[in-house]
Amino acid sequence: MPISGPQKTVMQTVSVVVLMGGLAWASVPFYDWFCRVTGFGGTPGQVTAGSADVLDQTVKVRFDGSLNDGMPWEFKPVVREMEVRIGETGLAFYEAYNPTDHAVAGQASYNVTPYTAGPFFEKIDCFCFTEQVLAPGERVQMPVSFFVDPEMVEDRDGKFVHTITLSYTFYEIDLPEGYAALDQASATTTN
């Protein structure tokens, strides 16, 4: 039996809504993947090892740290800037402090400016790859190791970059299950 006009319209409308919902759901991880692969929007790459080539040319790397609204931590770079040779592995530290009386979990978002440096700024290891949990009163130094890809000096726009700023913003997230139970137990023993 053929589908009539109103039924066909309803089926098409439902199909469009389901398709649009699926695309909306997939857009966030796809956009994240796209930015990491291309460096779009100043998103640094992630690699497993340093560069084999180290040039004599240097670049200044500045470090910036901020907190999202409501994040109770203190967060800042230990050193505000360093000069590294292009291709050389750099190591920098950020310091975080939880002044509250309870555990707080956080996740860092990050980017580099100028955006033209994004495809050439490679992170080897970073605290931003995983969530961080700080106990009450805990202060930690968190490392980030990185290098600037030597291909930047051959890039049409990248060859004019002499200073790169690596920025992190920490925002609060829900405590992981194991930590939430410990935090609850800690609260009941202190009361």
Side-chain angles (χ1 to χ4, degrees):
M1 174 156 144
I3 298 175
S4 67
Q7 289 175 332
K8 186 175 183 180
T9 302
V10 168
M11 293 288 286
Q12 288 174 336
T13 302
V14 168
S15 296
V16 167
V17 168
V18 169
L19 175 67
M20 296 304 285
L23 289 174
W25 176 80
S27 66
V28 172
F30 179 74
Y31 181 75
D32 182 58
W33 170 82
F34 174 78
C35 289
R36 289 178 195 274
V37 168
T38 64
F40 181 76
T43 303
Q46 295 178 17
V47 296
T48 56
S51 173
D53 297 326
V54 177
L55 308 179
D56 288 332
Q57 187 176 345
T58 62
V59 64
K60 187 181 296 184
V61 180
R62 293 185 177 152
F63 303 98
D64 180 50
S66 63
L67 298 168
N68 196 29
D69 288 342
M71 179 57 155
W73 289 0
E74 294 173 12
F75 176 66
K76 64 182 181 182
V78 173
V79 174
R80 292 277 176 200
E81 70 181 40
M82 67 173 56
E83 193 160 327
V84 294
R85 293 178 17 209
I86 294 177
E88 173 184 30
T89 298
L91 178 64
F93 290 88
Y94 279 76
E95 183 176 275
Y97 171 63
N98 177 6
T100 70
D101 61 354
H102 59 279
V104 177
Q107 181 72 53
S109 61
Y110 53 89
N111 71 352
V112 297
T113 53
Y115 290 156
T116 54
F120 305 104
F121 196 91
E122 303 287 356
K123 291 184 184 179
I124 301 166
D125 193 22
C126 182
F127 60 88
C128 60
F129 295 163
T130 59
E131 60 193 24
Q132 304 294 318
V133 179
L134 296 184
E138 184 177 12
R139 182 181 306 271
V140 296
Q141 287 196 354
M142 302 177 290
V144 55
S145 58
F146 63 91
F147 68 91
V148 178
D149 191 325
E151 290 183 17
M152 185 173 83
V153 299
E154 304 297 326
D155 183 72
R156 182 183 72 191
D157 298 319
K159 64 184 173 185
F160 298 109
V161 174
H162 302 291
T163 302
I164 298 172
T165 302
L166 174 60
S167 298
Y168 290 98
T169 301
F170 252 107
Y171 55 95
E172 188 171 359
I173 60 173
D174 291 335
L175 281 171
E177 273 188 42
Y179 286 100
L182 288 175
D183 197 43
Q184 230 174 12
S186 169
T188 56
T189 58
T190 58
N191 290 336

